[in-house]
Amino acid sequence: MSTTPTLTTTSYAVLGLLAVRRWSTYELAQQMDRSLGRIWPRAQSKIYEEPKKLVRLGLAEASREAVGRRPRTVYGITPDGRQALASWLHVPGTGPALESEQLLQIFFADSGTRTDTLATLRAARAWADERNEDNLAAIEAYRAGTGPFPERTAQTMLVGGFLTEYYRLVASWAEWAAGIVEGWPEDPRAAQAPPTEMQRIDRRAHWPEQFGHE
């Protein structure tokens, strides 16, 4: 049985960072959290494993350097690593996977109370506001010319645009849902779905037609 390690999406994420510059494992873990944590969150323990695996596969190289009197190992991408990264980028990946405890609580709201549901919706709105504060700080940094890796602004902008729309969507949905739940009885089992809102969702579900899709 083969023991050759396989490349995961996280492997390619680390390769992508190594293509930007050389990093120590600590720096990689910090950068993964800072730049990719909102779109590809992973435990730091997994990040620490990846560079050595990439070295074994010949996709990264390790070298020793001194920081003051303290030596450390830094990792960089190899030509084979750049080729592997380019090959991965050539094939479109899978779409987003949505995971939300708050949505799960809304789905089962009929086992709780109207007050519980409103509290969850307020928390969802607060989450969107908080995340967008980080988003605004990043935008201001790039406006001021202090954003990291300015040579990659064209790529960063596209992801930032997605996150902006996502946070705005969550905030807008939370406000809309709270307005409906305000009209529920305290026992959600007796709540009714307003026909006008069902019709609104039906109309909005046909959004692909607005983009000329079949």
Side-chain angles (χ1 to χ4, degrees):
M1 183 173 64
S2 173
T3 58
T4 302
T6 57
L7 294 181
T8 64
T9 303
T10 301
S11 303
Y12 289 113
V14 171
L15 270 180
L17 289 177
L18 294 179
V20 174
R21 51 158 278 193
R22 301 173 72 83
W23 311 84
S24 68
T25 50
Y26 174 78
E27 290 172 332
L28 269 174
Q30 295 298 305
Q31 188 64 23
M32 280 286 291
D33 181 63
R34 182 165 52 248
S35 63
L36 302 181
R38 293 184 292 173
I39 58 175
W40 195 254
R42 288 298 180 271
Q44 284 198 355
S45 59
K46 294 296 182 182
I47 307 305
Y48 277 92
E49 297 169 1
E50 287 296 331
K52 292 180 180 179
K53 180 176 79 174
L54 295 173
V55 169
R56 291 198 301 272
L57 292 172
L59 305 179
E61 58 186 5
S63 60
R64 299 282 285 177
E65 65 176 33
V67 179
R69 295 183 177 181
R70 190 172 184 177
R72 68 172 187 170
T73 302
V74 294
Y75 297 87
I77 196 168
T78 64
D80 284 347
R82 291 188 183 277
Q83 182 57 51
L85 182 60
S87 296
W88 173 67
L89 292 171
H90 185 65
V91 181
T94 57
L98 179 60
E99 183 177 286
S100 168
E101 184 179 12
Q102 291 167 345
L103 277 177
L104 197 60
Q105 290 175 321
I106 297 299
F107 190 79
F108 293 114
D110 51 339
S111 290
T113 67
R114 168 180 168 273
T115 301
D116 294 336
T117 306
L118 287 171
T120 297
L121 291 169
R122 285 194 295 270
R125 173 59 195 265
W127 176 89
D129 290 344
E130 180 182 349
R131 288 302 181 99
N132 198 53
E133 286 298 320
D134 293 337
N135 207 35
L136 288 170
I139 292 170
E140 289 303 319
Y142 279 100
R143 278 182 177 171
T146 58
F149 306 108
E151 71 279 6
R152 304 191 66 256
T153 302
Q155 293 77 39
T156 303
M157 179 194 72
L158 297 179
V159 176
F162 174 87
L163 292 173
T164 296
E165 294 299 325
Y166 176 50
Y167 300 146
R168 182 177 177 179
L169 166 67
V170 173
S172 175
W173 167 80
E175 289 292 325
W176 167 77
I180 292 175
V181 175
E182 286 283 0
W184 283 8
E186 184 59 20
D187 185 348
R189 290 175 297 180
Q192 298 292 318
T196 54
E197 293 301 329
M198 293 292 290
Q199 292 167 6
R200 173 180 175 273
I201 293 171
D202 181 33
R203 289 194 303 270
R204 291 176 67 84
H206 288 82
W207 63 264
E209 298 169 4
Q210 301 172 18
F211 293 89
H213 294 174
E214 295 182 357

